[in-house]
Amino acid sequence: MTTDSTRRTPLVRLRSDGAVDEATLAYARTKIDAVLTRPGLPAVTGEVRIVRAAVHHAGHPWSATADVRVGGRQIVAMAEEATGTELVDRLQDRLRRQTDQAAHARDDGRGATAPPWRRGALQDGVSR
């Protein structure tokens, strides 16, 4: 068996509680992988949990919680919906938005350079 070593697979576990069918889990795995295996993202680890409530009168019996770490940032996304596919789509949207923010955020400890009148660097590189 050959493996494609160029594609990074995230170390994200998919768990389920309740009567979650295999089709919904497979759909969730493809959607979550689409968000978390994008190029440019740092290492991704964590867990996604999908729950289907046993009560039939609940308005939103499906719920999901994603707790992942993208690089050094922790991302938590939650969703509640009436069907499994709606739930996965909503969770994917929330994960994509938050992972985009985490990927573009500067976490190198540097702030903006102070202007010259605040003892910042001048254009020639000398501060006064």
Side-chain angles (χ1 to χ4, degrees):
M1 176 180 190
T2 4
T3 60
D4 183 11
S5 61
T6 59
R7 181 177 180 233
R8 295 183 318 165
T9 56
L11 298 173
V12 175
R13 211 164 85 171
L14 180 62
R15 298 179 59 190
S16 65
D17 284 340
V20 179
D21 56 316
E22 290 298 320
T24 302
L25 287 176
Y27 183 68
R29 174 52 65 195
T30 58
K31 292 291 196 168
I32 292 166
D33 284 349
V35 172
L36 301 178
T37 59
R38 292 177 293 148
L41 282 181
V44 177
T45 58
E47 178 178 276
V48 176
R49 183 180 205 128
I50 297 177
V51 178
R52 184 174 181 186
V55 294
H56 299 287
H57 57 79
H60 296 286
W62 291 86
S63 63
T65 304
D67 184 6
V68 295
R69 185 165 288 280
V70 177
R73 295 187 177 267
Q74 183 175 4
I75 294 174
V76 177
M78 293 181 264
E80 288 184 350
E81 289 298 328
T83 66
T85 54
E86 290 174 356
L87 174 79
V88 171
D89 291 340
R90 172 80 47 124
L91 186 66
Q92 181 192 25
D93 291 341
R94 291 180 179 175
L95 275 174
R96 181 175 304 277
R97 184 177 65 243
Q98 291 188 26
T99 54
D100 284 347
Q101 290 173 353
H104 297 301
R106 289 181 57 174
D107 194 28
D108 56 5
R110 295 183 298 173
T113 305
W117 58 87
R118 299 252 175 148
R119 304 279 181 178
L122 295 175
Q123 288 181 355
D124 61 357
V126 179
S127 65
R128 297 181 183 181

